[in-house]
Amino acid sequence: MSTVTSTSTYAVTGLTCAHCAAAVREELSALPGVTRVDVDLVAGGTSSVTVLGTSEPARADVVAALDEAGDYRLAAR
């Protein structure tokens, strides 16, 4: 059993449906230390993606996972 010690929330663009959310969830869940991914889908807008785990994933790894999942991008800060 792993303990959640990190919660990171990202604003992500490009998601339009439940399939997009599932793809993002799958790719981010594969990152080391990630135990759970929640997606608050805003179809066609900026969705909120929360990543829970034992450590915060590197931003570059999150960007790469979003790219692997599809044409999804971190929103500008």
Side-chain angles (χ1 to χ4, degrees):
M1 179 175 167
S2 57
T3 303
V4 173
T5 57
S6 172
T7 301
S8 305
T9 301
Y10 303 93
V12 179
T13 61
L15 287 79
T16 60
C17 64
H19 175 78
C20 298
V24 165
R25 199 175 292 116
E26 179 180 339
E27 289 299 329
L28 288 173
S29 293
L31 294 177
V34 173
T35 56
R36 185 172 140 193
V37 177
D38 293 327
V39 177
D40 183 12
L41 177 64
V42 177
T46 302
S47 300
S48 179
V49 177
T50 302
V51 177
L52 296 93
T54 56
S55 63
E56 183 175 354
R59 186 174 176 83
D61 291 341
V62 172
V63 169
L66 291 174
D67 188 55
E68 183 66 25
D71 192 22
Y72 314 120
R73 303 285 177 257
L74 291 178
R77 292 182 186 183

